[in-house]
Amino acid sequence: MAAKRCLIALAFLIFLGVVPPSPAQGTTIQVGGGRIDVVFLTDASKQIQALALDWVTTAARAVTKYYGRFPVPRVAVRIRFDDATRIHSGETFGAPDGGLITVSVGRSTTPMNFHSDWLMTHEMVHLAFPSVAEEHHWIEEGLATYVEPIARVQIGNLKAREVWADLVRDLPQGLPAAGDRGLDFTPTWGRTYWGGALFCLLADVQIHRRTANKKGLQDALRGILQAGGTISSDWPLARALRAGDDAVGVPVLEELYARMRNAPAPVDLAQLWQELGVEHRGGSVILHHDAPLAAVRQAILPER
């Protein structure tokens, strides 16, 4: 699911049409001001193709809702059907006028699997952040991991309570372990995906607190996108963080990065959940409306 800084040669040629995918079956979807060219690289039934197109469209709607528009003018989505039972891999690449997303989808993927799947939304979130140096890969994957479920909640594809339950379950994987040297220097899977997502949650909470709930991480990320920060742009991370902080009027991203980039910066998740009013009980969560930061929690993820 990694967002790539540049297109590998073959993917780039396919994207430009120099090497046509065969068999080429697909369609064009227009969402949020963006053009999404979907091509099926292998054969599948008309039913599975229709489900895949709906899946792509739903993901585009979610990303458009979160960012206020589709992040890039054009993205090519290349879907390879195989004999797996579910959707199981994806990558996103930058291109001069947008991007390329490649995914593998099992021919036995059910409508319920498509409805509950997160991968396409995750990959499209990658389009909305500039390509940064390899040591900052955690911000690319952490953002996609954190933003994806929130964007799906905003279009009614997921419930807020489910997202909090998943965060309570999964964020411990992003905590620093023994020998951790900070996000820029500990490229493990847990720190890359869930350490990056933890950075995003902390930033979201702090922005809401320091702006009296007038702004959040969503506003910061919209600011980065508005400044031209898409996957097709190579930026220093400092430029992206500054653009985000400028959009919300408080230097939360820069300050948090300074604290977490080259030091373990442990987080007391139990205390954070208590302050947010998120109680884990019996495999699910109970949301408390009298918690100190309940208003922040509801601003991040309104309960519908």
Side-chain angles (χ1 to χ4, degrees), residues 6-304:
C6 62
L7 226 49
I8 60 174
L10 182 58
F12 185 63
L13 292 174
I14 290 175
F15 177 69
L16 294 179
V18 177
V19 177
S22 181
Q25 307 172 60
T27 190
T28 294
I29 303 166
Q30 301 279 352
V31 178
R35 171 177 166 173
I36 303 156
D37 295 319
V38 183
V39 170
F40 303 126
L41 301 178
T42 51
D43 287 325
S45 68
K46 294 297 183 183
Q47 179 185 19
I48 199 78
Q49 290 183 16
L51 288 169
L53 287 173
D54 185 63
W55 172 60
V56 172
T57 303
T58 299
R61 286 178 49 236
V63 171
T64 295
K65 181 71 172 179
Y66 189 87
Y67 288 97
R69 64 177 175 88
F70 195 73
V72 294
R74 178 193 175 202
V75 63
V77 176
R78 302 299 190 231
I79 299 176
R80 182 174 298 279
F81 296 106
D82 56 29
D83 293 330
T85 58
R86 298 191 68 164
I87 299 157
H88 58 92
S89 64
E91 289 186 290
T92 302
F93 306 85
D97 64 344
L100 167 65
I101 296 173
T102 64
V103 295
S104 295
V105 175
R107 292 187 179 89
S108 300
T109 305
T110 67
M112 183 61 70
N113 292 154
F114 275 112
H115 177 76
S116 62
D117 187 79
W118 52 268
L119 188 143
M120 182 56 68
T121 307
H122 178 105
E123 297 304 330
M124 286 186 175
V125 172
H126 281 312
L127 300 170
F129 195 80
S131 295
V132 293
E134 187 64 29
E135 63 265 29
H136 311 312
H137 189 50
W138 59 268
I139 189 68
E140 296 174 330
E141 293 299 348
L143 273 172
T145 301
Y146 181 73
V147 168
E148 166 264 314
I150 295 176
R152 289 171 60 202
V153 168
Q154 291 182 353
I155 63 164
N157 186 246
L158 199 61
K159 300 293 186 184
R161 191 178 301 271
E162 297 175 79
V163 179
W164 290 118
D166 288 347
L167 288 173
V168 169
R169 181 193 65 203
D170 293 326
L171 277 180
Q173 299 174 89
L175 292 172
D180 190 280
R181 298 182 297 148
L183 289 172
D184 277 353
F185 302 96
T186 311
T188 61
W189 178 87
R191 287 291 268 166
T192 298
Y193 284 80
W194 290 106
L198 179 58
F199 175 93
C200 293
L201 173 61
L202 295 174
D204 213 353
V205 170
Q206 288 188 32
I207 293 169
H208 276 282
R209 292 186 70 175
R210 291 168 65 171
T211 64
N213 267 344
K214 293 182 175 65
K215 302 285 185 179
L217 181 63
Q218 182 173 6
D219 301 285
L221 296 179
R222 285 186 175 191
I224 294 169
L225 182 61
Q226 185 63 31
T230 70
I231 194 172
S232 60
S233 306
D234 291 308
W235 282 17
L237 180 57
R239 178 181 175 185
L241 300 181
R242 190 177 312 114
D245 283 343
D246 287 346
V248 296
V250 287
V252 167
L253 296 175
E254 292 168 295
E255 291 175 1
L256 194 59
Y257 174 61
R259 181 164 70 86
M260 300 181 75
R261 66 175 296 271
N262 61 359
V267 177
D268 188 341
L269 282 175
Q271 180 180 348
L272 179 61
W273 299 136
Q274 185 176 19
E275 292 178 348
L276 288 169
V278 179
E279 179 188 357
H280 182 254
R281 187 188 298 177
S284 60
V285 298
I286 298 172
L287 303 178
H288 296 281
H289 300 292
D290 57 349
L293 298 181
V296 168
R297 184 196 73 232
Q298 291 172 314
I300 293 172
L301 271 169
E303 296 146 34
R304 297 173 179 170

